Amino acid sequence: MQGFPPEPEYLITQPQSNFFSFPKMRWSVCHIRELMPTRQVSKGIAGPGSWKMRIDPDINNITFKVSGSDEQLTWQQSLALNYTDGILVLHRGAIVYEQYFGCLERYKKHAAMSMTKSLVGLLAEMLIAEKRLDDKQLVKSVIPELAESGFGDASIREVMDMTTAIAFSEDYNDPNADIWQYSYASDPFAHHSANDPVGYYDYLSGIKKQGEHGEIFGYRTVNTDVLGWIIARTTGKDVATLLSEKVWQQFGAEQDAYITVDSVGTPFAGGGLSAGLRDLGRVGQILLNRGRYNDQQIIPAAAIANIEKGGDKTAFARADYQTLPGASYRSMWWILHNKNNAYAVRGVHGQTIYIDPAAEMVIVRLASFPQAKNHYIDPTSLPAYQALADYLISKKSTGR
Amino acid sequence: MQGFPPEPEYLITQPQSNFFSFPKMRWSVCHIRELMPTRQVSKGIAGPGSWKMRIDPDINNITFKVSGSDEQLTWQQSLALNYTDGILVLHRGAIVYEQYFGCLERYKKHAAMSMTKSLVGLLAEMLIAEKRLDDKQLVKSVIPELAESGFGDASIREVMDMTTAIAFSEDYNDPNADIWQYSYASDPFAHHSANDPVGYYDYLSGIKKQGEHGEIFGYRTVNTDVLGWIIARTTGKDVATLLSEKVWQQFGAEQDAYITVDSVGTPFAGGGLSAGLRDLGRVGQILLNRGRYNDQQIIPAAAIANIEKGGDKTAFARADYQTLPGASYRSMWWILHNKNNAYAVRGVHGQTIYIDPAAEMVIVRLASFPQAKNHYIDPTSLPAYQALADYLISKKSTGR
């Protein structure tokens, strides 16, 4: 988008213009609010918290082997290959690496995509720790509107761990997948016919059951929007407001964040967040610190322990994620169950917060990778993160 | 908007739902971004500047006589009568009065409506002071696309002072006024036909001349969008970006602001801003300080002097503003030419920044008054501001 007005071939507009196709996406990921209605996730009025800075330029030269290949890359080479827009590495709470590319700058926000889910999952875990929500309850007991839907007899835990059995396809490479109809229902710009579902809640109520809950991990965004609904009904506050009150106002954020909303004002719990790179780093650091930040317990340690322990590995294995062998999914977080006990937040097109407790490391990467699915980007990412973790651990042990 | 989802009778949605009708407006003024695409006016990353606090509860009891009536009111009584959402009074740079009502809170933003115009006018005056813009130039020399329109042979000064002679009606009480077609053209949710103008710039190019420029003040929002276009073409930056760089990042803002955009991403220079109450107070204080703030010259003194001196009173008198006798309009600011040399920023439904140099006073009022036109609210506002100015001057002189 350049010029006043932009020439037609450079114009990027509302959802029907396919603003998330590549290369338009390289601009859109930093400009969601200019294309869609959004709700503020306020940081409040206070100034930002400070960071310890301990930039280590040697990180650029760390080498790693691409998964499933003999190719060697440096950390720095991987950044451009992965269409990185912003990358932040925290080690023992200090910033050791920070770069901005593409459309992103420090005072700007980037689409978090499905990383939004993990923040909603975190809110749910906080409510569970506060005894305001019971994950053994059935969905229909909290949201009667979903009683007749496929979600009705699922437990809140099954929704949180995405082991519900529902008739909903989410293959981003399939233009006929249900996810696109879901996007259309929630698109405030769509010209809906009289019988079309309008908005997230309306669509969710019509999803049918398919199979038995609790057996197979099935990554379906609609679970998170059901969870967002449960949270809103339980607390009387939508997830944007709650995320502001419970997280963004608590940790010295540098910027407000925001979440897209549908035509009836419902925030998109499944993927609507945009936020600043450093603020997403704060999210990771709080998790790494098991909820403590600036000497305050912002998030109950039990909520984070409940995420870290991971989900049902057998149910996960049935879903056949080739780049994530032995992993699990818990409360909308990806638990790698690797030697470092790493776990992650992941969003399409390469968004991640990667938390490595053994290395006391948090990585945030924001990207506009051409392909949606992360298995395309994992081979040049996950081994890079492990190599960086190894480097930071060895650096610490050698006292460098 | 309450409930998840809201009941239909409480639902407020996109522009076609008439979200600016009363009483929906009482909610909408704080939630524009949830209804429309918007562009950030970043405050940058730094923390907010501090305020001296010198709250004076006696202000509540100041009495004044309603214009054109024998009725006496107290300051406090006037607030509810005027559907005030937020009111801030600064005296000699300190906060002496601050109240939030309705939908507004300190960390939230409120629609500024046509107060946006004055900030765009201020940007233009800054560019003139920097010799980057010459107000004697004709519009067509900067924007060739407007050469055949009614604006083509107007000077930039005539645009800034709204003395262009164009065929465009802006009576908010007339449902057939051109302003509604303009709103429709710029509404990203509208279903435009093939020959409809789409977006601000497209519509502006089709406006015809009617009469002679420079003779009569004619309050028409389209002038400001022409000025916004001139500023964007001159600087290579849209008004949201420029407002961030030249103002919001300079004065220790507490919050980002934002501006609505049309379907091609053009910010609505004529009325799209939403901002926090205290940040609008900072705008007023900078003007009062003739551009100095925290010992820095943020805005050239010449730019502000050019506004303060006022516009063509004869041209203004021809427009017959009954509540503003003897006033003028200069660079999108309302100059009262009263004994205190007060001048103001004004937006429909009761928005104002009122700057009184004699009393060293700035008032910001954000409101959701049922009627658009300010002449309905002036009788219970302007005499209240004068009474408050008198009180502050007498307080200073008596050393209280």
Side-chain angles (χ1 to χ4, degrees), chain A residues 33-34 38-40 109, chain B residues 33-34 39-40 109:
Chain A
R33 68 176 294 166
E34 296 163 42
T38 54
R39 177 167 291 203
Q40 166 175 287
K109 306 166 195 29
Chain B
R33 69 176 294 166
E34 295 163 42
R39 176 167 290 201
Q40 167 175 286
K109 307 166 195 24

Side-chain angles (χ1 to χ4, degrees), chain A residues 65-79:
Chain A
K65 197 169 83 60
V66 177
S67 309
S69 153
D70 286 334
E71 194 182 0
Q72 289 267 343
L73 289 175
T74 65
W75 173 268
Q76 189 167 33
Q77 287 170 327
S78 77
L79 300 183

Side-chain angles (χ1 to χ4, degrees), chain A residues 1 3-6 11-14 27 31-48 106-109 145 188-191 201 229 232-233 235-238 241 244-245 249 254-259 261-266 278, chain B residues 1 3-6 11-14 27 31-48 106-109 145 188-191 201 229 232-233 235-238 241 244-245 249 254-259 261-266 278:
Chain A
M1 288 280 272
F4 307 102
L11 193 60
I12 302 174
T13 64
Q14 280 73 44
W27 180 87
H31 296 268
I32 300 290
R33 68 176 294 166
E34 296 163 42
L35 301 162
M36 298 274 286
T38 54
R39 177 167 291 203
Q40 166 175 287
V41 178
S42 174
K43 65 164 190 62
I45 298 296
R106 185 171 156 207
Y107 67 94
K108 291 186 178 177
K109 306 166 195 29
E145 295 95 320
F189 294 92
H191 306 175
Y201 295 160
W229 198 354
R233 188 61 61 78
T235 63
K237 292 174 178 171
D238 68 282
T241 302
S244 165
E245 292 181 359
Q249 292 190 39
E254 291 185 1
Q255 300 187 62
D256 293 340
Y258 63 79
I259 301 189
V261 293
D262 66 13
S263 67
V264 296
T266 308
R278 287 188 172 192
Chain B
M1 286 279 272
F4 306 103
L11 194 60
I12 303 173
T13 63
Q14 279 74 43
W27 180 87
H31 296 268
I32 300 290
R33 69 176 294 166
E34 295 163 42
L35 302 162
M36 298 274 287
T38 54
R39 176 167 290 201
Q40 167 175 286
V41 177
S42 173
K43 64 164 191 63
I45 297 296
R106 184 169 157 207
Y107 66 93
K108 291 186 177 176
K109 307 166 195 24
E145 294 95 321
F189 293 94
H191 306 175
Y201 295 160
W229 199 353
R233 188 61 60 78
T235 63
K237 292 175 179 171
D238 69 280
T241 302
S244 166
E245 292 182 359
Q249 292 190 40
E254 292 186 1
Q255 299 186 64
D256 293 341
Y258 63 80
I259 302 189
V261 293
D262 66 13
S263 67
V264 296
T266 309
R278 286 188 173 194

Side-chain angles (χ1 to χ4, degrees), chain A residues 71-311:
Chain A
E71 194 182 0
Q72 289 267 343
L73 289 175
T74 65
W75 173 268
Q76 189 167 33
Q77 287 170 327
S78 77
L79 300 183
L81 269 177
N82 291 340
Y83 293 82
T84 303
D85 296 319
I87 188 148
L88 179 75
V89 182
L90 308 177
H91 181 223
R92 308 176 92 183
I95 293 177
V96 295
Y97 194 88
E98 182 180 29
Q99 294 282 340
Y100 297 87
F101 305 97
C103 62
L104 196 61
E105 297 179 61
R106 185 171 156 207
Y107 67 94
K108 291 186 178 177
K109 306 166 195 29
H110 192 284
M113 308 309 297
S114 292
M115 299 204 295
T116 314
K117 293 180 173 70
S118 309
L119 286 162
V120 173
L122 180 63
L123 290 177
E125 284 291 1
M126 291 171 80
L127 295 173
I128 290 168
E130 295 166 7
K131 312 278 189 217
R132 296 172 71 187
L133 194 65
D134 175 1
D135 62 355
K136 292 185 291 298
Q137 275 198 292
L138 299 187
V139 169
K140 63 185 173 189
S141 71
V142 183
I143 311 286
E145 295 95 320
L146 290 173
E148 302 302 315
S149 80
F151 296 104
D153 65 344
S155 69
I156 292 173
R157 173 52 57 193
E158 287 160 342
V159 170
M160 290 175 69
D161 292 357
M162 290 212 196
T163 59
T164 54
I166 48 169
F168 184 88
S169 56
E170 186 158 338
D171 178 353
Y172 292 96
N173 293 335
D174 174 7
N176 296 315
D178 294 320
I179 187 70
W180 304 120
Q181 292 169 38
Y182 187 55
S183 294
Y184 186 75
S186 64
D187 176 1
F189 294 92
H191 306 175
H192 292 113
S193 305
N195 292 324
D196 285 350
V198 176
Y200 296 109
Y201 295 160
D202 200 12
Y203 188 101
L204 294 173
S205 308
I207 295 176
K208 300 297 174 202
K209 191 170 178 180
Q210 186 176 65
E212 291 303 317
H213 300 311
E215 297 186 349
I216 305 178
F217 168 64
Y219 186 80
R220 296 185 185 94
T221 293
V222 287
N223 283 293
T224 319
D225 288 305
V226 168
L227 187 59
W229 198 354
I230 289 168
I231 290 171
R233 188 61 61 78
T234 300
T235 63
K237 292 174 178 171
D238 68 282
V239 296
T241 302
L242 214 58
L243 193 56
S244 165
E245 292 181 359
K246 285 186 168 287
V247 183
W248 244 252
Q249 292 190 39
Q250 302 300 326
F251 67 7
E254 291 185 1
Q255 300 187 62
D256 293 340
Y258 63 79
I259 301 189
T260 59
V261 293
D262 66 13
S263 67
V264 296
T266 308
F268 181 25
L273 185 75
S274 286
L277 181 67
R278 287 188 172 192
D279 291 333
L280 293 167
R282 289 180 165 91
V283 170
Q285 191 63 43
I286 288 184
L287 271 283
L288 185 64
N289 294 355
R290 301 217 165 84
R292 286 193 74 77
Y293 205 74
N294 290 338
D295 295 326
Q296 296 209 305
Q297 193 73 32
I298 292 172
I299 295 173
I304 296 168
N306 224 0
I307 292 169
E308 278 190 290
K309 75 180 184 191

Side-chain angles (χ1 to χ4, degrees), chain B residues 125 135 157 160-161 306-312 328-335:
Chain B
E125 285 290 0
D135 61 355
R157 172 52 56 192
M160 290 175 70
D161 293 357
N306 224 0
I307 292 169
E308 279 190 288
K309 75 181 183 189
D312 181 338
S328 73
Y329 193 81
R330 178 73 171 177
S331 309
M332 311 274 165
W333 292 68
W334 303 82
I335 316 302

Side-chain angles (χ1 to χ4, degrees), chain A residues 347-364:
Chain A
V348 287
H349 299 286
Q351 324 313 319
T352 203
I353 304 174
Y354 185 93
I355 299 169
D356 186 319
E360 300 174 86
M361 173 185 83
V362 173
I363 299 170
V364 185

